[in-house]
Amino acid sequence: MLNIYKTSADGILEPIEQFEKNSWIHITAPSKEELREVSHRCNIPMEFLEDPLDLEESARIEYDEETKCTLIINDFPIIDVSNLQFDSYITIPIGIILGTDYIVTVCNQSTNSLDHLIKKNVNTSMKNRVALEMLLLFSTQYIEKLKLLNKQRLKIESHLRDSLTNKQLYDLMEIEKSLVYFLTSLKANADVITKLFRTNSLTLYDDDKDLLEDLKIENDQGIETTELYTRILNSITGSYSSLISNELNKTMKTLTLFTVFLTLPTLVFSFFGMNVTLPIADKNPFSWIITLIIAFIFVGWIGLALWRRRMF
């Protein structure tokens, strides 16, 4: 899908039908024909349009001397559609291409991430400023998604205090997976931001540099928040793993004690049930009472020994 936007003379960002100078072209899950058309009309290298479509593509900056185009690949978060029962997130790349007359964004999947930018009525003739606004928007989204993940973690944690189920553990695993995606992408984006401070392919004015500083602060905050939530989650999972092991040990200990106390009377009764001559006459009416007393003596003796060892 291909959409074209341009800022009007009134400063309003409007969709247009044709390729025009100083317009913004947004491509989502494009076909080969659309890529070739954009490459030809905008004088953009084909690989600049194809690379961001690879979901495993790493964040980076690249400059083409021949066409004077700059490619910025940045990762941003989206909901993981493979998990329908829990709102977890993954990150995918988006390409921002700054040409001489156009700014082009290309992404493998449709997203509403840029809707806020469209409502903001950015000036498409200021291509570098628009690119920085996009990068800042992506960094802000990380913070928003992190807050949502933390709310879900707190909700799961409150339920864990009442009962522990496999679903809750799986949900914590999904949160942990999302945090791993976020931390990896944020650190890669941080390298891109650092290179933006040093690159000569982009002309940055004072307002652009201030925006770049805000972008760096927002991205650093995202990294710190993600690392904090990761440590908290690791602490929680570690604590509950210890609790589960402790409860299992208590259960096994209880079952072992029951087994010991039930085994001793069985041994006594089995001994006196043999078809051989025994110290207690089988015709004595008090034989069963004597047998019980012997069994209870063994149980009491073992119980006292275990109590002294603080087994219970």
Side-chain angles (χ1 to χ4, degrees):
M1 185 172 63
L2 189 151
N3 296 309
I4 307 175
Y5 304 92
K6 186 177 181 180
T7 305
S8 65
D10 298 330
I12 301 175
L13 189 64
E14 299 176 336
I16 58 177
E17 297 295 332
Q18 301 296 327
F19 289 83
E20 295 183 12
K21 187 176 180 180
N22 293 327
S23 61
W24 166 27
I25 304 166
H26 181 52
I27 317 171
T28 303
S31 62
K32 283 289 185 181
E33 291 74 17
E34 289 175 330
L35 291 178
R36 281 193 287 266
E37 181 183 10
V38 173
S39 176
H40 174 71
R41 287 177 174 267
C42 302
N43 191 27
I44 293 174
M46 192 66 175
E47 58 270 19
F48 276 19
L49 297 170
E50 293 176 336
D51 288 350
L53 299 176
D54 182 5
L55 295 180
E56 303 298 326
E57 194 70 26
S58 58
R60 70 177 192 276
I61 296 180
E62 191 173 339
Y63 179 71
D64 183 69
E65 291 282 354
E66 183 178 350
T67 59
K68 300 187 182 305
C69 291
T70 301
L71 169 65
I72 303 174
I73 297 181
N74 210 69
D75 293 333
F76 71 99
I78 63 169
I79 291 181
D80 185 4
V81 294
S82 63
N83 187 358
L84 302 178
Q85 298 180 347
F86 188 81
D87 287 342
S88 60
Y89 299 91
I90 61 173
T91 56
I92 63 172
I94 185 171
I96 304 173
I97 306 167
L98 302 173
T100 54
D101 297 322
Y102 300 91
I103 179 171
V104 180
T105 53
V106 54
C107 187
N108 186 280
Q109 300 181 20
S110 60
T111 175
N112 298 326
S113 300
L114 298 175
D115 289 349
H116 178 74
L117 201 64
I118 295 173
K119 297 176 182 178
K120 194 175 180 180
N121 290 326
V122 294
N123 190 346
T124 54
S125 62
M126 304 175 68
K127 295 182 289 295
N128 296 344
R129 179 75 58 81
V130 173
L132 293 176
E133 291 278 3
M134 291 179 181
L135 295 177
L136 182 60
L137 175 63
F138 298 146
S139 294
T140 304
Q141 284 192 338
Y142 279 103
I143 303 298
E144 294 174 356
K145 306 304 183 188
L146 284 168
K147 291 179 180 178
L148 294 176
L149 286 174
N150 192 49
K151 288 182 179 179
Q152 293 183 81
R153 179 191 63 79
L154 292 174
K155 183 178 180 181
I156 295 171
E157 187 178 353
S158 64
H159 292 162
L160 280 174
R161 295 172 182 173
D162 300 327
S163 63
L164 182 64
T165 63
N166 287 338
K167 182 182 182 303
Q168 293 167 341
L169 295 177
Y170 286 136
D171 290 345
L172 286 177
M173 288 170 57
E174 290 295 328
I175 294 177
E176 187 174 12
K177 183 184 73 173
S178 300
L179 292 176
V180 170
Y181 272 109
F182 282 13
L183 187 59
T184 303
S185 297
L186 283 167
K187 287 185 175 180
N189 292 347
D191 294 337
V192 172
I193 295 171
T194 301
K195 292 178 181 178
L196 285 173
F197 279 98
R198 303 194 305 259
T199 185
N200 296 322
S201 60
L202 300 179
T203 302
L204 299 178
Y205 299 99
D206 290 339
D207 290 342
D208 298 334
K209 293 179 180 178
D210 292 339
L211 191 58
L212 187 56
E213 287 286 350
D214 293 340
L215 171 60
K216 185 179 185 303
I217 293 172
E218 196 77 13
N219 195 82
D220 290 343
Q221 181 183 351
I223 293 175
E224 293 174 0
T225 305
T226 306
E227 290 178 339
L228 174 62
Y229 289 169
T230 302
R231 289 195 296 270
I232 293 174
L233 190 60
N234 290 337
S235 176
I236 291 172
T237 53
S239 299
Y240 277 100
S241 296
S242 299
L243 288 175
I244 292 172
S245 299
N246 190 41
E247 290 296 327
L248 179 60
N249 291 337
K250 288 182 178 179
T251 303
M252 295 303 297
K253 180 179 176 181
T254 302
L255 292 176
T256 302
L257 291 174
F258 272 113
T259 303
V260 170
F261 288 126
L262 291 175
T263 302
L264 290 174
T266 303
L267 290 174
V268 175
F269 300 149
S270 298
F271 175 77
F272 285 100
M274 294 187 295
N275 295 322
V276 295
T277 303
L278 296 172
I280 302 176
D282 57 355
K283 295 182 180 179
N284 189 339
F286 299 103
S287 298
W288 66 276
I289 297 177
I290 297 173
T291 305
L292 287 176
I293 292 173
I294 294 173
F296 281 126
I297 289 173
F298 274 107
V299 170
W301 176 61
I302 293 298
L304 180 62
L306 293 175
W307 177 75
R308 287 182 175 179
R309 292 176 177 270
R310 297 184 179 179
M311 295 295 293
F312 60 90

